[in-house]
Amino acid sequence: MEKDKKTKITVRAAIDASLERVWKFWTDPEHITHWNHASDDWHTTHASNDLKVGGKFLSHMAAKDGSMGFDFEGTYTKIELHESIEYVMADGREVKISFSKKGNETVVDETFDPENTHSIEMQQAGWQAILDNFRKYVESKEG
């Protein structure tokens, strides 16, 4: 399947929390390990995050039964505090995440280049599931 340079996938969630809280939960490895999975049979066993331009992040995602795992990693190319994060994944695909206030909610939009192995629909569903887990995690935590 030839990669279409124009194809981008976007997922979105409206989260009932402050912009500052959403940003903290998105970027703090202590929180990332709790929400960064697409299904309940997967989890993130380790996360590191050097949130600065040129900094790197890594989340080790693994099946809970130990059958498989992989590193999701990238390098930050642009960061605007409480507004947006951009990075390039290890395979060269680009991602942009924007954070915006809408009334009492914070809207997170995540746009990314698809890979060539899985269908657009499958990739969108997977990233949306992770974003939905993020929303549930942020809204369920006290403080």
Side-chain angles (χ1 to χ4, degrees):
M1 179 170 139
E2 186 71 27
K3 183 177 176 185
D4 178 356
K5 291 287 186 192
K6 295 179 183 154
T7 299
K8 299 265 189 198
I9 301 172
T10 299
V11 294
R12 169 181 277 192
I15 301 157
D16 187 15
S18 71
L19 187 56
E20 295 77 16
R21 178 180 171 87
V22 168
W23 183 271
K24 176 179 173 41
F25 280 44
W26 188 270
T27 60
D28 185 340
E30 178 185 332
H31 292 293
I32 293 167
T33 57
H34 292 282
W35 59 261
N36 192 27
H37 56 276
S39 62
D40 289 339
D41 54 343
W42 279 74
H43 59 163
T44 294
T45 59
H46 168 78
S48 62
N49 192 17
D50 186 13
L51 187 65
K52 65 182 183 192
V53 173
K56 296 185 182 302
F57 69 88
L58 182 141
S59 294
H60 184 74
M61 303 173 84
K64 287 183 179 177
D65 67 6
S67 63
M68 59 176 35
F70 65 94
D71 288 338
F72 181 78
E73 57 188 317
T75 303
Y76 293 110
T77 56
K78 185 176 181 182
I79 296 169
E80 294 178 15
L81 185 64
H82 299 153
E83 290 182 24
S84 67
I85 296 172
E86 295 181 29
Y87 62 86
V88 176
M89 289 185 261
D91 64 7
R93 294 182 294 136
E94 297 177 352
V95 179
K96 179 176 183 177
I97 306 137
S98 66
F99 303 82
S100 57
K101 212 50 199 143
K102 299 279 193 247
N104 292 330
E105 295 181 322
T106 299
V107 176
V108 178
D109 285 301
E110 194 171 14
T111 301
F112 63 97
D113 294 331
E115 40 89 350
N116 296 322
T117 305
H118 300 93
S119 72
I120 297 292
E121 296 77 18
M122 183 181 287
Q123 292 177 69
Q124 184 168 22
W127 285 55
Q128 185 67 56
I130 293 170
L131 191 53
D132 290 344
N133 282 334
F134 174 73
R135 178 185 52 76
K136 289 177 207 157
Y137 176 74
V138 172
E139 291 179 352
S140 72
K141 299 301 280 183
E142 293 295 321

